[in-house]
Amino acid sequence: MEMSLLEKISESCWQIPAHGTMRVPVIIYGSEKIIQQMDQKVAEQASNVASLPGIVKASFVMPDAHWGYGFPIGGVAAFDPDQDGVISAGGVGFDISCGVRTLLTGLQEKDIEPIKNKLADLLFKEIPAGVGSHGKIHLDKNEMDKMLVGGAKWAIEQGYGEEEDLQRIEEGGCMPGADPQAVSNLAKERQAKEMGTLGSGNHYAEVQVVGKIFDEAIAKLLSIHEGDIVVSIHCGSRGLGHQIGTDYLKEMVVCAQKLKIELPERELACAPIQSDLGKRYLGAMRAGINCALANRQILTHLIRKVFSNFFPNISMPLLYDVSHNTCKVEEHSINGGSKKLFVHRKGATRAFGPGHREIPEDLKEAGQPVLIGGSMGTHSYILVGTTQSERLAFSSAVHGAGRAMSRSKALKEWKGKEIIKSLEAKGILIRAVSERGVAEEAPLAYKDVSDVVEAAHKAELAKLIARLDPLICIKG
Amino acid sequence: MNIDKQPTTSYRWETFSHMADIGIRGFGNSPEEALIAVSLALISVITDPQKVSPTSSVSITCQDDSYDLLLYDWLNCLIFKIATENMLFSAFEVELRLPFLRGTAWGEIIDREKHTPAVEVKGATFTELFFGQNDNQWIAQCVVDV
């Protein structure tokens, strides 16, 4: 990104002042090094977002931002429904409620070392992953609608998990206001065989060891200690979310054309929150969130079953589940008052600070866990929301590394087989459907997640608690 | 920018770079040829189209007022068929008369050993979406989300 465009506010905060059609400034968080590495398109897209009706305070850019569709990935924008605010399908993304969840195991690395290969093989066998994989759960229309309303709560009612899991999921595992009638039959048909599937691309299920603790007191509150084994899942709302994105993006684009609304990018298309289209999208998007929560819950069940095969008495409680492609109605402080806003987080994680009412009682003192997935073979991180995050970016933080190289270039640079071999030499077992897919997901094709997390920590968007090192990675 | 060309007699396709995702582009002497070419480019994101035997078919019908929206619909219909029919495609026949697009895609059920599919395509997007004429040839292109 061209630094001359930016005004420096602090070492970790930069601004593009409002100009032209922009209603608010763009605020970018990150070190100078990180921002220099961002695409110029990020500044352009964040400025476009700043020009949308009803936007409040600023168009925020997280340290892991990159070029997206309409909104930058790593973008946060809040809209006021009373000021003609809008909701945007592009501001949520195709993979609605894509997110990360982490499970505790009570195991140490020495416990899994003797069975590591067998564990990797069984996880790969039991977790449907990649193109052409289908789950064992097929939903009819009636059950599909129940799932879209119930989310992870529905999944637990079907026997996929424990009641206690719900306390550790945003919105208690069930997003209110979901409207299955606003979800097309195409979307439902696409999802019918995809419940409990991982997907592909940067999605994964990973067995990790807690490699380093940065804050002992908070780590203790989260029940994590150095050397502990945890399991993390990164995936979203699968075909249903993709189809909702496809359907509503087009409807919003066509609507903008009909109303002769000039958009700098068609994917910036949006609808007033109070409009029929806005309300329908909101109902469908919330159903997409529930689909993602149910999907991660079923995957959790599959993973628990695999682990219990090796450790019959194992208990694998949920540490937390976060979504990073959403639009949620939240109360935030504006001009000394409190206001309900529609907060779009596109590739950004909610990061409520300590004491927030949405955080479960036993974690309130710590702040909301912020789970940051790395790329294949690299570290992941656990952070928590800070008190300052509310003031900085409506309680939002980073979501992951973000690509540094296109898939085509990665494919030219690396061979999947060599990557698998070199990671195995480091003690990291990869199980993947496609060697080409592995090459496209090469660790170095992504930005250094450690830099991104450090930038978020320094900017006080979230506080760094623990580093997770990969041991087994299941890829689609 | 162009990294993956496939020479053909009257149409050709390529993929192009996009930071997070991937662009697909088809060239032809007619809109139908450009559509066939970009469809092959779509499949190439997942697997080598030459690995796919055109043994069974699905029908696709779209209706829209503009070429670019028809392209968006066509590609998203193909993506839908890949997901729901569990198929990959390697041969296409299309008939385009605005506002109608009728087509048939030939392919086979996904065989993970044979096709080693690299990545799932979530959807065709409006980014770099273009379906029209340039320098006397038809071009159909967009970025797909993977």
Side-chain angles (χ1 to χ4, degrees), chain A residues 122 304-312 314:
Chain A
L122 195 57
R304 283 171 171 161
K305 267 179 73 178
V306 168
F307 270 77
S308 67
N309 206 57
F310 297 98
F311 308 98
I314 193 168

Side-chain angles (χ1 to χ4, degrees), chain A residues 66-67 69 94 129 131-133 186 190 200 238 242 246 250 266-267 403-404 406-408 433-434 436, chain B residues 3 17 19-21 44-45 64 68 72-73 76 80 86 112 117-120 122 125-127 129 145-146:
Chain A
H66 57 92
W67 179 16
Y69 301 105
F94 277 93
V131 181
S133 67
L186 291 180
R190 198 164 159 184
S200 66
R238 309 292 299 114
H242 307 164
T246 297
K250 184 184 168 193
R266 279 187 286 191
E267 273 162 326
R403 286 194 82 92
S406 70
R407 289 177 177 277
S408 323
V433 174
S434 154
R436 178 181 142 189
Chain B
I3 56 116
S17 291
M19 183 55 81
D21 295 303
S44 81
V45 173
D64 245 311
D68 56 355
Y72 179 87
D73 282 350
N76 279 312
F80 178 82
N86 196 31
R112 281 149 66 101
V119 73
E120 185 180 49
K122 295 173 189 168
T125 75
F126 284 89
T127 299
L129 181 72
D145 194 352
V146 297

Side-chain angles (χ1 to χ4, degrees), chain A residues 57 148 187:
Chain A
K57 208 168 171 179
L148 295 177

Side-chain angles (χ1 to χ4, degrees), chain A residues 143-345:
Chain A
E143 208 54 40
M144 175 72 68
D145 286 357
K146 285 183 185 168
M147 180 276 289
L148 295 177
V149 170
K153 194 164 176 283
W154 168 87
I156 287 167
E157 284 163 5
Q158 309 308 305
Y160 306 115
E162 310 297 330
E163 190 73 21
E164 303 84 77
D165 293 341
L166 296 174
Q167 303 305 315
R168 297 300 184 100
I169 306 173
E170 290 179 341
E171 278 76 37
C174 177
M175 184 74 199
D179 179 7
Q181 302 313 311
V183 178
S184 71
N185 288 333
L186 291 180
K188 291 173 185 174
E189 192 181 334
R190 198 164 159 184
Q191 187 61 27
K193 295 177 189 169
E194 292 196 357
M195 291 311 298
T197 61
L198 192 62
S200 66
N202 63 358
H203 292 169
Y204 60 77
E206 199 164 83
V207 179
Q208 303 157 325
V209 58
V210 179
K212 188 173 180 182
I213 297 286
F214 298 92
D215 187 310
E216 288 286 352
I218 296 180
K220 204 173 165 190
L221 288 171
L222 303 183
S223 308
I224 47 173
H225 314 87
E226 207 165 299
D228 284 357
I229 296 294
V230 298
V231 183
S232 295
I233 305 164
H234 176 214
C235 71
S237 50
R238 309 292 299 114
L240 183 118
H242 307 164
Q243 193 66 40
I244 291 171
T246 297
D247 294 342
Y248 278 95
L249 189 59
K250 184 184 168 193
E251 199 174 341
M252 287 180 182
V253 166
V254 170
C255 179
Q257 282 173 353
K258 278 185 184 157
L259 296 173
K260 298 197 187 313
I261 298 170
E262 289 287 330
L263 294 166
E265 270 191 68
R266 279 187 286 191
E267 273 162 326
L268 211 56
C270 48
I273 291 163
Q274 310 283 22
S275 68
D276 171 64
L277 176 53
K279 285 176 185 165
R280 278 192 290 113
Y281 175 67
L282 195 58
M285 189 265 306
R286 286 168 171 165
I289 290 177
N290 280 332
C291 181
L293 298 180
N295 194 48
R296 288 199 287 274
Q297 189 63 41
I298 295 168
L299 287 169
T300 297
H301 174 74
L302 297 178
I303 289 168
R304 283 171 171 161
K305 267 179 73 178
V306 168
F307 270 77
S308 67
N309 206 57
F310 297 98
F311 308 98
N313 299 317
I314 193 168
S315 164
M316 296 178 70
L318 184 52
L319 170 57
Y320 212 68
D321 178 301
V322 298
S323 296
H324 49 230
N325 282 353
T326 59
C327 175
K328 290 184 177 175
V329 183
E330 296 167 6
E331 213 154 292
H332 287 284
S333 309
I334 294 290
N335 303 326
S338 180
K339 181 91 194 157
K340 273 193 179 165
L341 300 173
F342 286 67
V343 185
H344 292 67
R345 293 189 182 89

Side-chain angles (χ1 to χ4, degrees), chain B residues 4-67:
Chain B
D4 195 4
K5 292 186 182 178
Q6 178 195 272
T8 63
T9 47
S10 56
Y11 58 80
R12 64 191 171 89
W13 57 265
E14 63 189 20
T15 58
F16 60 93
S17 291
H18 177 275
M19 183 55 81
D21 295 303
I22 195 157
I24 55 173
R25 186 179 287 140
F27 302 89
N29 292 326
S30 66
E32 288 85 356
E33 282 190 358
L35 265 179
I36 291 169
V38 77
S39 305
L40 288 165
L42 171 70
I43 299 301
S44 81
V45 173
I46 307 166
T47 189
D48 179 352
Q50 291 183 353
K51 288 183 180 176
V52 182
S53 307
T55 52
S56 55
S57 68
V58 297
S59 297
I60 293 172
T61 308
C62 312
Q63 184 178 346
D64 245 311
D65 297 332
S66 66
Y67 278 114

